[in-house]
Amino acid sequence: GEAACLEANVHGVHSDLVKLLGRMKYRTSYGQNALKHSIEVSQLAGLLAGEIGLDQRLARRAGLLHDITKEWSKPKQRRYMEKYYPEKVENHPKTYHQHTAQKFVQLKYQVEDEEILDAIGNHVNGTDEKLLSRIVFCSDKIDDSRGFDNSEFKKMCFEDIDKAYEVIRDQQFKYLRKVLQEEKKKNG
């Protein structure tokens, strides 16, 4: 965890959060190492923020913490959702971790910066229009650990983050619709 914070250039992280980050080293999601992904998202977010003139520290912190609860079991995530976001429980479980991470770091670790919380809480759906949220959303989708050639998306992000956000968000919506359709077919 400490090495991840250093590599991401994120300082002042609560020691328990550092431990949780360290555990992510042993987790994968969609074939990606969870810790490596979070470090890369943090670094990309910081670079993009720097290009635009936003606070790179906030961007790196949001990027590093965005998936902090993704390793939780689906039942644990659902219970957290029922407690804090009952109106969103019927959303697809793949989106739960954005909400659980947002509330978890806010309540347990006193992360109070609204920009960071909004960026974490919207990194799957891309439903927040704030610039930091757009940056973290895009960074989450274009990091190299995703396993596909994303060089055009990266280039677009550095040239015009607003345009890139719209294109990447459209791709994300198509992906989520496809997942829902496949699950409907599978479940009859």
Side-chain angles (χ1 to χ4, degrees):
E2 289 178 23
C5 290
L6 287 173
E7 190 174 346
N9 196 17
V10 176
H11 307 284
V13 178
H14 190 285
S15 61
D16 289 343
L17 269 177
V18 171
K19 289 176 190 172
L20 288 174
L21 286 165
R23 288 187 205 146
M24 290 172 70
K25 180 179 181 178
Y26 305 103
R27 305 270 186 217
T28 59
S29 178
Y30 304 108
Q32 301 171 273
N33 177 277
L35 183 57
K36 181 180 179 194
H37 167 71
S38 290
I39 292 168
E40 288 189 21
V41 170
S42 177
Q43 292 169 335
L44 278 168
L47 289 171
L48 285 167
E51 287 289 315
I52 297 167
L54 286 182
D55 189 331
Q56 294 178 28
R57 292 172 304 125
L58 295 180
R60 288 191 305 265
R61 185 173 296 271
L64 188 62
L65 299 177
H66 81 284
D67 275 349
I68 198 73
T69 61
K70 194 169 185 176
E71 64 155 302
W72 288 5
S73 68
K74 291 301 176 198
K76 182 176 181 177
Q77 286 187 23
R78 185 173 179 89
R79 285 191 305 273
Y80 215 77
M81 291 292 291
E82 288 169 348
K83 183 173 182 177
Y84 296 108
Y85 299 101
E87 73 283 4
K88 296 180 181 181
V89 169
E90 296 309 316
N91 292 357
H92 196 281
K94 287 184 185 291
T95 68
Y96 284 1
H97 74 279
Q98 70 182 350
H99 305 298
T100 58
Q102 177 186 37
K103 189 57 79 174
F104 180 71
V105 299
Q106 179 185 30
L107 294 178
K108 188 153 175 78
Y109 299 106
Q110 293 76 47
V111 174
E112 296 175 350
D113 188 287
E114 288 298 321
E115 285 187 89
I116 291 174
L117 294 172
D118 288 344
I120 292 170
N122 291 284
H123 78 270
V124 175
N125 294 346
T127 50
D128 186 46
E129 296 293 322
K130 294 181 192 85
L131 198 47
L132 182 62
S133 294
R134 287 174 174 235
I135 287 171
V136 172
F137 172 79
C138 289
S139 298
D140 181 44
K141 308 304 178 264
I142 65 169
D143 87 277
D144 289 334
S145 69
R146 291 269 179 189
F148 64 90
D149 181 11
N150 55 29
S151 55
E152 286 301 313
F153 287 125
K154 274 187 181 178
K155 181 179 176 189
M156 190 184 310
C157 285
F158 282 96
E159 290 174 353
D160 184 347
I161 190 66
D162 293 325
K163 179 182 175 186
Y165 171 76
E166 295 300 329
V167 170
I168 294 169
R169 188 173 67 165
D170 184 55
Q171 293 292 321
Q172 180 70 358
F173 286 157
K174 286 177 184 174
Y175 166 75
L176 291 173
R177 278 193 297 273
K178 181 182 172 187
V179 168
L180 288 172
Q181 289 170 347
E182 288 173 359
E183 286 182 1
K184 280 184 180 181
K185 285 180 187 177
K186 182 179 167 184
N187 296 329

